[in-house]
């Protein structure tokens, strides 16, 4: 399994180094950018699996940079944890509203930082932790490296959200996934989407599967009052 690649954007060299040492020690690969411009070019050179972004940076703030990333297609879903000395409620709300996945208030413990990094990577696991593997349940299989989904040996075309939904369901094997869990896995922990949005995308997923294989579509089961499950067989 490849090491998750984390970009640290922090202008205080001592803090950046300390974080980098700890992340490397815990099995992550990481690079440091000391301002927004450098971070911007590094991200487009190689998209990180997660960004630790300091709020206070010289010239363009980490907050503005994150907002910019959220507005661009390539970086829209970049997992971002804000590092901030601002402990005020309003700033926390602002950073979550602007689409950050999480934030940590300075000074923070390395242990907490690592725990939050791991938690966010788990939530965003579809693109990170199963990379290169083939997931199969019933007649549906997904090659996460090539992003190809097959049902009865025919390719299924999925939009990004449906792809993530299916990844979450496949990873769960044939166990039931609660609607709320699914929501966190696909839209991130601090999403403000309606639970019905999950149902809408499940419907789209079923439609996309139906276009190729009715058997595959029937594998997506609704478990009343709980959530969804990908059954091993549609029979
Ligand atoms: Ca700073």
């Amino acid at each position: 399994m490849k090491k998750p690649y984390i970009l640290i954007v922090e202008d205080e060299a001592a803090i950046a180094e300390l974080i980098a040492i700890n992340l490397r020690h815990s099995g992550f690969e990481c690079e440091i950018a000391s301002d927004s411009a450098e971070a911007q070019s590094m991200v487009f050179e190689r998209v990180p699996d997660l960004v630790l972004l300091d709020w206070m940076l010289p010239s363009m703030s980490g907050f503005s940079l994150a907002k910019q990333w959220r507005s661009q297609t390539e970086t829209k879903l970049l997992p971002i944890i804000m590092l901030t000395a601002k402990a005020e409620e309003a700033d926390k709300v602002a950073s979550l509203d602007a689409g950050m996945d999480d934030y940590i208030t300075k000074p923070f413990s390395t242990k907490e930082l690592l725990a939050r990094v791991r938690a966010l990577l788990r939530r965003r696991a579809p693109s990170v932790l199963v990379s290169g593997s083939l997931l199969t349940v019933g007649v549906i299989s997904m090659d996460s490296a090539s992003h190809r989904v097959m049902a009865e040996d025919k390719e299924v075309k999925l939009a990004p959200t449906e792809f993530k939904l299916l990844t979450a369901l496949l990873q769960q094997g044939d166990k039931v996934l609660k609607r709320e869990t699914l929501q966190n896995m696909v839209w991130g922990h601090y999403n403000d989407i309606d639970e019905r949005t999950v149902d809408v995308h499940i419907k789209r997923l079923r439609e996309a599967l139906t276009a190729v294989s009715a058997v595959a579509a029937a594998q997506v089961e609704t478990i009343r009052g709980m959530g969804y499950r990908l059954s091993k067989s549609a029979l």
Side-chain angles (χ1 to χ4, degrees):
M1 195 161 70
K2 83 176 171 77
K3 290 181 177 178
Y5 166 53
I6 298 173
L7 179 64
I8 303 160
V9 189
E10 167 65 82
D11 59 317
E12 283 157 82
I15 297 179
E17 260 321 310
L18 182 70
I19 296 173
I21 288 165
N22 281 289
L23 285 172
R24 289 189 186 117
H25 187 72
S26 303
F28 297 100
E29 192 188 335
C30 54
E31 295 288 348
I32 298 168
S34 57
D35 60 34
S36 292
E38 195 183 358
Q40 181 79 306
S41 65
M42 285 172 82
V43 158
F44 282 95
E45 219 163 88
R46 181 181 174 196
V47 180
D49 292 309
L50 187 147
V51 180
L52 289 171
L53 181 59
D54 187 29
W55 182 301
M56 298 295 280
L57 291 169
S59 63
M60 189 194 222
S61 76
F63 184 68
S64 305
L65 177 64
K67 278 208 291 193
Q68 189 174 306
W69 280 340
R70 284 291 177 255
S71 68
Q72 293 161 334
T73 323
E74 303 85 345
T75 49
K76 211 181 195 69
L77 296 172
L78 201 60
I80 301 172
I81 298 179
M82 287 296 293
L83 303 179
T84 170
K86 304 187 166 200
E88 285 100 21
E89 189 82 47
D91 296 317
K92 290 179 185 172
V93 172
S95 67
L96 296 177
D97 276 351
M100 288 352 124
D101 297 284
D102 202 355
Y103 61 84
I104 298 178
T105 308
K106 288 178 180 175
F108 48 81
S109 78
T110 318
K111 231 172 151 183
E112 185 190 359
L113 178 83
L114 287 168
R116 283 174 187 257
V117 164
R118 285 196 198 96
L120 181 53
L121 286 173
R122 266 199 305 275
R123 294 203 295 272
R124 295 296 189 89
S127 62
V128 181
L129 300 176
V130 292
S131 152
S133 63
L134 188 70
L135 293 166
T136 303
V137 174
V139 299
I140 305 171
S141 63
M142 172 187 285
D143 180 347
S144 56
S146 65
H147 267 233
R148 269 158 71 97
V149 176
M150 307 292 283
E152 291 191 287
D153 299 324
K154 280 168 284 183
E155 187 165 6
V156 184
K157 294 279 176 214
L158 294 176
T161 305
E162 283 72 66
F163 183 88
K164 283 198 200 168
L165 263 180
L166 183 61
T167 308
L169 287 165
L170 279 164
Q171 283 178 324
Q172 201 67 14
D174 66 348
K175 291 196 286 287
V176 179
L177 258 182
K178 280 191 211 154
R179 201 181 260 104
E180 191 197 343
T181 312
L182 205 49
Q183 195 173 327
N184 291 339
M185 287 173 85
V186 175
W187 286 271
H189 199 63
Y190 291 103
N191 66 75
D192 56 359
I193 63 151
D194 195 275
E195 279 200 356
R196 268 168 301 181
T197 306
V198 178
D199 303 338
V200 169
H201 287 280
I202 284 282
K203 188 165 170 274
R204 291 190 191 150
L205 172 62
R206 283 199 182 111
E207 284 164 1
L209 290 168
T210 304
V212 171
S213 157
V215 179
Q219 275 184 246
V220 183
E221 285 181 15
T222 304
I223 310 296
R224 203 174 254 284
M226 286 192 74
Y228 294 98
R229 179 171 80 126
L230 201 59
S231 67
K232 278 189 180 136
S233 109
L235 302 171

